[in-house]
Amino acid sequence: MKTISEKILSKRSGVDAASGDIVTVPVDLVFAHDGTLPLAIQELGRHPVKFPKSAVAFCDHASPSPSEKVSNVQTLMRQFAHTYGMDFYENGDGICHQIVLERYASPYKIIVGGDSHTCTHGALGAFATGMGSTDVASIMAYGKTWLKVPETVHVEVSGKLPKSVHSKDVFLELLSRITADGATYKALEFYGDTVETMSVESRATLSNMAIEAGAKVGMCAADEKVEAYLAHYGRGDEFTPLYADKDAIYVDEIRIRAETVVPMIAKPHKVDKVVPVTELEGQELDQVCIGSCTNGRIEDLRAAARILHGHRSKARLVVYPASRDVLLEALKEGVLETLLKAGASIGPPGCGFCIGRTVALGDGEVALSTQNRNFKGRMGNDTSFIYLSSPSTAAASAIEGKITDPRGLER
Amino acid sequence: MKIEGKVVRVFPSDTNTDEIIAGKYKYDELDLNKLARHTFESLDTHFYDDCKRLKDPILVAGANFGCGSSREQAPQVLKACGISCVIADSFARIFYRNGFNIGLPLVECESMSNNVTRGEMLNVDFGKGVIRSENQNAEYHFKPIPQFMQELLAKGGLMQYLDARGGFTD
Ligand code: SF4
């Protein structure tokens, strides 16, 4: 009678764990990036990295480096990774979470990232959660961590999503119901035939945004889709099926009918200020951004291209593929050509606009982005305004230069 | 463990890590004392100076304090400002863990933020779970901080604590 989180944490701690228990577990993968690793290196001090094969470093947040100071910080990271023989991802390789999905995450793994969106990897059945630099340092030094077994909220999504409505809209709908601290300290588990038919990429959007409701992890079952995803990346042998027990105990259950979900938008400056796109139609936009660890995957770029095909964007359009693989795929399929012809400026794989470190907004400017957060100042300017949406809504809005309902525009 | 200090600010619910320290600084500055000058910059330009004028200033906030990114710079800059303790209705998960990990005491005490005002002197007893306000002649209660977390604070943070214990004992 266990939830997915309880199953993983029981198996990995060797203790029959239920929600509320504190367990010590080995950590299979610990990673951090240019925003969080430098502080972890300081915290580590003279401790060596105990299991360098389980530790990975990424230069993705301020990438490619926009200043001498950042370059020097990145040099420190490079030397650190080299000293211990850790995997190191360079500027332009992509966002940490996308690369971890492609190359490291799999069912039953315990993954700790020095980044709050580490919950993304619940889409592959990993117990993956974000922690701060000191936790990252302690795991690098000792190879283990403490975890409190979370209570779980069961989210059941059933039915068929309408055309141009995506998992992003489903999560925004959920957020409008439970708010930004509706799942604090808890696990979200996503079920239902809608989730079963979703690609792993779409599930990763759900898991990615779990933290926006305060959740510790956002879990999906590891089914044939996960098996196929791992096989595609040459990691079929890492697959183990993983489902919650039928009689698992949940603290809450939320039901969403997919047919009733519409394109949703989060208004500035909070993720849970969510309204249907129809309420905001006509809002002028300076910039439209497609990418991030939430919606920078190939299916997101495809969805945008299906709408942008043959059009020219009125808003400034910025596209950052989530990883080198995503960029290559977009190149092969002709998606890149469509986006370029639509007026997009294509950035190197990485966080790009999302944190405003390499692409910033001007004073009072308004942006619509496919990312996960719209806090004041998030995109590098305290006086700007950020709306959040799915890639389809972003693409439709780019064409008009105004917030636009994507339904009916997709080819 | 006890702390006594004046309330330097009362912030509302959902105060996020971008507001505590803007993401744009964290790639440039590794010196936390310099970074601390930008604490709450977008909300309040006097925060740092006001903290420095007080002995053991206490920060009070509403629910979900520290939501958003995992950046440990957020609790770190508060500590570098001299904040002795943060009292909030509730904390975001990662911020809570980070706070104790770096030796910054955090107290979850509901409705404090509605009842205290800036400048008020508070006395906080972590082991007993009591906050005393002399001005109001009132006491507020919270769930006492577990012994091992008090030890963690006393040692100055997680790394120091683990080093003293020789790592994780299961
Ligand atoms: S894309 Fe944005 S949310 Fe995702 S890891 Fe990068 S900065 Fe964070």
Side-chain angles (χ1 to χ4, degrees):
Chain A
M1 38 181 278
K2 292 191 186 305
T3 63
I4 294 180
S5 301
E6 288 169 335
K7 275 194 158 173
I8 299 175
L9 295 177
S10 295
K11 181 165 174 196
R12 302 307 310 280
S13 68
V15 176
D16 184 24
S19 66
D21 295 347
I22 292 177
V23 294
T24 304
V25 284
V27 176
D28 303 295
L29 176 72
V30 58
F31 69 91
H33 54 63
D34 43 348
T36 53
L37 184 62
L39 204 54
I41 296 173
Q42 279 184 355
E43 284 283 336
L44 259 177
R46 281 200 299 272
H47 294 85
V49 176
K50 192 165 183 186
F51 303 113
K53 288 290 149 227
S54 312
V56 183
F58 295 91
C59 282
D60 58 356
H61 274 57
S63 141
S65 164
S67 73
E68 349 169 3
K69 276 187 171 172
V70 172
S71 297
N72 290 338
V73 167
Q74 293 189 352
T75 303
L76 172 83
M77 292 173 59
R78 228 170 258 124
Q79 283 166 349
F80 174 77
H82 182 76
T83 304
Y84 293 106
M86 290 159 51
D87 284 354
F88 177 79
Y89 290 89
E90 251 318 333
N91 290 296
D93 282 338
I95 306 168
C96 54
H97 303 306
Q98 184 57 24
I99 294 173
V100 169
L101 273 180
E102 293 168 2
R103 306 195 176 183
Y104 298 94
S106 56
Y108 282 102
K109 274 193 181 165
I110 308 278
I111 299 179
V112 174
D115 188 280
S116 62
H117 292 102
T118 304
C119 47
T120 309
H121 313 297
L124 289 174
F127 191 94
T129 192
M131 292 190 192
S133 300
T134 298
D135 272 308
V136 166
S138 74
I139 294 165
M140 285 180 168
Y142 293 104
K144 290 183 181 177
T145 195
W146 287 304
L147 289 168
K148 188 167 178 182
V149 184
E151 295 180 314
T152 299
V153 177
H154 180 119
V155 181
E156 180 87 16
V157 194
S158 49
K160 192 170 177 318
L161 283 171
K163 196 166 178 189
S164 302
V165 175
H166 302 275
S167 62
K168 177 66 158 285
D169 299 302
V170 172
F171 198 91
L172 290 175
E173 164 71 28
L174 175 67
L175 209 47
S176 76
R177 297 198 204 170
I178 69 173
T179 78
D181 64 351
T184 301
Y185 301 114
K186 300 190 180 110
L188 292 175
E189 275 183 17
F190 300 101
Y191 292 97
D193 53 303
T194 318
V195 181
E196 282 162 28
T197 48
M198 262 179 206
S199 64
V200 164
E201 285 90 343
S202 293
R203 294 176 192 176
T205 304
L206 295 176
S207 296
N208 173 273
M209 291 203 64
I211 179 72
E212 304 313 327
K216 186 170 194 159
V217 288
M219 306 303 302
C220 298
D223 57 7
E224 316 79 64
K225 288 256 163 79
V226 168
E227 186 172 17
Y229 184 89
L230 291 173
H232 176 80
Y233 287 99
R235 300 195 288 124
D237 57 329
E238 290 181 38
F239 179 72
T240 321
L242 171 58
Y243 299 87
D245 290 332
K246 285 269 178 287
D247 52 356
I249 296 169
Y250 297 96
V251 280
D252 205 355
E253 173 156 340
I254 295 162
R255 291 180 177 277
I256 296 177
R257 288 295 311 168
E259 290 87 355
T260 65
V261 180
V262 299
M264 301 293 259
I265 292 202
K267 300 198 286 185
H269 301 287
K270 281 193 179 166
V271 260
D272 57 359
K273 282 172 76 177
V274 175
V275 295
V277 66
T278 46
E279 269 185 39
L280 293 169
E281 271 191 300
Q283 163 67 50
E284 305 263 352
L285 300 169
D286 297 296
Q287 182 160 304
V288 171
C289 308
I290 299 174
S292 86
C293 58
T294 316
N295 283 121
R297 287 175 270 280
I298 187 64
E299 67 172 31
D300 302 314
L301 303 191
R302 281 184 201 134
R306 280 200 298 273
I307 287 179
L308 284 161
H309 190 93
H311 292 279
R312 178 85 194 181
S313 173
K314 283 208 183 83
R316 293 195 308 269
L317 177 60
V318 190
V319 179
Y320 274 70
S323 73
R324 198 176 282 281
D325 275 15
V326 171
L327 176 55
L328 277 168
E329 188 64 41
L331 184 67
K332 261 193 286 185
E333 292 180 13
V335 164
L336 213 54
E337 190 179 338
T338 304
L339 296 175
L340 283 167
K341 284 184 175 160
S345 88
I346 310 286
C351 300
F353 55 77
C354 184
I355 193 126
R357 200 57 192 80
T358 53
V359 187
L361 293 172
D363 290 348
E365 283 198 321
V366 183
L368 175 65
S369 174
T370 65
Q371 69 197 61
N372 43 40
R373 259 179 209 153
N374 58 351
F375 298 154
K376 198 174 169 197
R378 174 79 181 177
M379 295 172 97
N381 188 321
D382 289 346
T383 67
S384 62
F385 301 88
I386 309 167
Y387 292 84
L388 307 177
S389 79
S390 75
S392 290
T393 305
S397 304
I399 296 172
E400 299 299 331
K402 296 176 184 147
I403 290 182
T404 303
D405 191 335
R407 286 171 296 182
L409 299 179
E410 198 168 328
R411 290 160 55 95
Chain B
M1 228 182 125
K2 283 185 191 169
I3 275 174
E4 191 173 63
K6 276 191 178 156
V7 175
V8 63
R9 284 295 184 281
V10 182
F11 282 111
S13 290
D14 296 324
T15 300
N16 65 56
T17 50
D18 279 72
E19 288 167 332
I20 299 172
I21 183 73
K24 62 183 171 191
Y25 295 121
K26 72 172 175 179
Y27 306 97
D28 296 358
E29 193 54 75
L30 289 179
D31 183 339
L32 290 165
N33 290 318
K34 284 192 191 149
L35 197 62
R37 293 179 183 277
H38 300 289
T39 311
F40 287 117
E41 193 176 68
S42 71
L43 301 179
D44 180 340
T45 47
H46 299 292
F47 183 81
Y48 177 82
D49 291 334
D50 287 355
C51 283
K52 288 294 170 187
R53 265 194 287 276
L54 294 172
K55 184 177 174 296
D56 297 332
I58 292 175
L59 181 64
V60 177
N64 203 22
F65 184 77
C67 61
S69 92
S70 66
R71 76 188 59 145
E72 197 165 291
Q73 286 90 343
Q76 291 275 22
V77 292
L78 293 179
K79 200 176 160 193
C81 285
I83 295 290
S84 62
C85 157
V86 185
I87 305 171
D89 292 9
S90 66
F91 291 92
R93 186 186 61 80
I94 300 176
F95 185 91
Y96 191 76
R97 195 164 167 134
N98 284 345
F100 282 90
N101 280 348
I102 64 148
L104 175 70
L106 306 176
V107 167
E108 259 183 337
C109 184
E110 241 176 80
S111 73
M112 262 315 267
S113 60
N114 291 328
N115 290 311
V116 293
T117 45
R118 191 161 150 177
E120 213 171 296
M121 187 67 124
L122 297 179
N123 190 300
V124 188
D125 187 325
F126 300 115
K128 288 214 179 82
V130 178
I131 302 168
R132 180 153 180 85
S133 162
E134 293 306 336
N135 309 40
Q136 300 180 26
N137 192 21
E139 282 190 352
Y140 297 86
H141 294 264
F142 62 92
K143 212 169 139 202
I145 300 195
Q147 192 54 40
F148 92 93
M149 284 165 83
Q150 286 192 62
E151 268 172 50
L152 212 138
L153 292 173
K155 285 271 185 302
L158 177 68
M159 284 305 268
Q160 295 82 345
Y161 176 79
L162 286 174
D163 289 349
R165 285 173 31 131
F168 288 84
T169 41
D170 303 76

